Amino acid sequence: MDDRKLEVLRAIVEDYVATQEPVGSKAVSQRHALGVSAATVRNDMAYLEEAGYIQQPHTSAGRIPTAKGYRLFVDRLGKIKPLSAAERRAVHRFLSEAIDLDDVVTRTVRLLAQLTHQVAVVQYPSLNRSSVRHLELVSLTPTRLMVVMITDTGRVEQRYVEMPAELGESEILELRRFANEQLQGKALADVPRLTADLAGQVRPELRDTAAELARVLKETVVARTEERVAVAGAANLTRGNFFAGSMRPILEALEEEVVLMQLLGRADSNALLTVRIGDENEIDDFRETTVVTAGYGPGSVVGHMGVLGPTRMDYPGTIAAVRAVARYVSEILEQNR
């Protein structure tokens, strides 16, 4: 395909996204400085239609992009529109005001929905990809401890330990110090192995409590590996007549957390950003949609975020927003490590 045909496709995609109306050859030649006549544009459109990049939705002269056309636009034609300086400052300020990890995720999903006018989905940092930053032991009663485990992404897990015997404050401090020496900076996936012989490494007076602590830490890692997601902006799907069929299956799927985890889980962890269009989405309910996802994390990917919307979306703007927000969240997590 020569450059002119690519420019015709670009013009059709941009005009259709902007107007929601099928695009004709006359409109392309008038709105875009292609330097050729409407007749030449018609010939190029005929080629694009035969090749499956555009289609005629009804008997009018206008054409609209197909999923294949959007794919080519994203891969070769879409020029990413960076956020303006004012937008970048607003994003950074809004996210930096978060008080904890839950607040970061809540603000992120709301921000993505507002910036893109799509459905936003943010995965909480995965415990499987996190490491231990600190372990705190808090005495609640003479025989009861609260175990607080903080990960490098700011996720906090709390469990309780019923001690077999009373321990003094100095003994609790000793146990906390020893547990932190064993676990700080280590991957959560390694916690069961690292604590397997915790009781055998402390003095006899602490062994029973250390064994119970090891059991609780193992439970924390194993039982809390379920993933969580936050969703915002589902009402954005109702802004226009985007879908050929009913939106109900899409809206129902968005209520299923396991489906959303599958949606984000199919993102390429090694890619800065992934765009899946139409049938590229393996989940049946999302085959009329586009999903744009990006990984985030402090140095390495600990979770994914993204947006879901109709295939007729502002790809350059959406890609720029998802990429920018993922970068800012990564910076915030890095600063708080």
Side-chain angles (χ1 to χ4, degrees):
M1 189 186 303
D2 59 43
D3 289 343
R4 191 187 66 233
K5 292 183 178 65
L6 288 172
E7 287 303 312
V8 170
L9 177 61
R10 183 207 299 274
I12 293 171
V13 171
E14 291 177 349
D15 284 3
Y16 180 60
V17 168
T19 68
Q20 303 185 43
E21 297 292 337
V23 183
S25 57
K26 185 177 180 180
V28 171
S29 61
Q30 289 177 344
R31 294 173 187 165
H32 303 269
L34 300 181
V36 295
S37 66
T40 300
V41 173
R42 276 196 298 275
N43 290 334
D44 289 341
M45 290 175 67
Y47 171 88
L48 292 169
E49 185 172 10
E50 185 176 352
Y53 295 106
I54 59 176
Q55 64 183 0
Q56 188 175 28
H58 44 75
T59 55
S60 74
R63 302 294 189 276
I64 64 173
T66 62
K68 182 179 178 181
Y70 285 125
R71 179 80 266 166
L72 184 60
F73 176 82
V74 169
D75 290 344
R76 296 184 58 182
L77 300 172
K79 296 179 180 178
I80 305 304
K81 299 182 295 188
L83 300 182
S84 67
E87 288 174 323
R88 291 197 301 273
R89 286 194 298 270
V91 168
H92 186 267
R93 182 171 61 252
F94 182 69
L95 293 179
S96 64
E97 291 174 350
I99 58 176
D100 56 25
L101 180 63
D102 283 339
D103 198 16
V104 169
V105 173
T106 299
R107 286 170 177 260
T108 298
V109 75
R110 285 168 48 201
L111 182 64
L112 271 180
Q114 291 168 3
L115 287 174
T116 64
H117 306 294
Q118 311 292 353
V119 181
V121 184
V122 177
Q123 174 190 10
Y124 280 75
S126 171
L127 281 179
N128 291 329
R129 298 170 183 162
S130 302
S131 59
V132 179
R133 186 169 76 187
H134 182 69
L135 196 70
E136 187 63 53
L137 302 181
V138 181
S139 177
L140 300 177
T141 71
T143 58
R144 196 176 199 216
L145 287 177
M146 180 171 66
V147 181
V148 182
M149 185 170 64
I150 306 172
T151 72
D152 60 337
T153 58
R155 187 163 173 174
V156 178
E157 296 292 332
Q158 297 181 356
R159 299 295 286 267
Y160 298 96
V161 177
E162 297 295 338
M163 295 183 291
E166 293 187 16
L167 293 181
E169 187 64 29
S170 62
E171 293 170 311
I172 293 173
L173 290 175
E174 180 182 346
L175 191 60
R176 181 185 65 184
R177 182 173 60 252
F178 183 78
N180 274 297
E181 288 173 355
Q182 297 292 310
L183 299 178
Q184 272 185 342
K186 301 299 193 299
L188 263 70
D190 293 335
V191 167
R193 175 179 60 81
L194 293 171
T195 58
D197 192 34
L198 193 64
Q201 300 178 50
V202 299
R203 57 190 177 91
E205 294 84 352
L206 298 177
R207 284 176 182 168
D208 289 344
T209 302
E212 187 64 15
L213 176 61
R215 183 189 66 77
V216 168
L217 289 173
K218 181 179 179 180
E219 277 185 6
T220 301
V221 175
V222 173
R224 297 300 182 92
T225 53
E226 78 276 5
E227 305 293 357
R228 298 168 56 200
V229 292
V231 184
N236 287 328
L237 292 178
T238 65
R239 290 184 301 109
N241 187 23
F242 296 128
F243 304 102
S246 169
M247 286 193 305
R248 183 173 179 177
I250 298 174
L251 294 173
E252 289 178 346
L254 289 172
E255 294 179 357
E256 297 293 334
E257 192 160 283
V258 65
V259 173
L260 296 177
M261 286 309 309
Q262 290 176 340
L263 188 74
L264 293 176
R266 287 188 168 90
D268 185 347
S269 295
N270 298 317
L272 293 176
L273 188 131
T274 302
V275 181
R276 296 192 302 281
I277 303 170
D279 286 343
E280 294 171 359
N281 292 298
E282 297 177 9
I283 301 173
D284 288 339
D285 291 328
F286 296 146
R287 291 190 184 275
E288 285 190 65
T289 71
T290 287
V291 180
V292 180
T293 55
Y296 71 92
S300 60
V301 172
V302 297
H304 288 86
M305 66 178 67
V307 298
L308 176 145
T311 54
R312 187 197 68 77
M313 71 164 56
D314 173 14
Y315 286 93
T318 299
I319 290 170
V322 172
R323 182 178 291 171
V325 172
R327 184 175 68 250
Y328 280 119
V329 172
S330 297
E331 291 174 0
I332 288 171
L333 295 181
E334 180 66 36
Q335 292 166 5
N336 293 329
R337 290 180 74 169

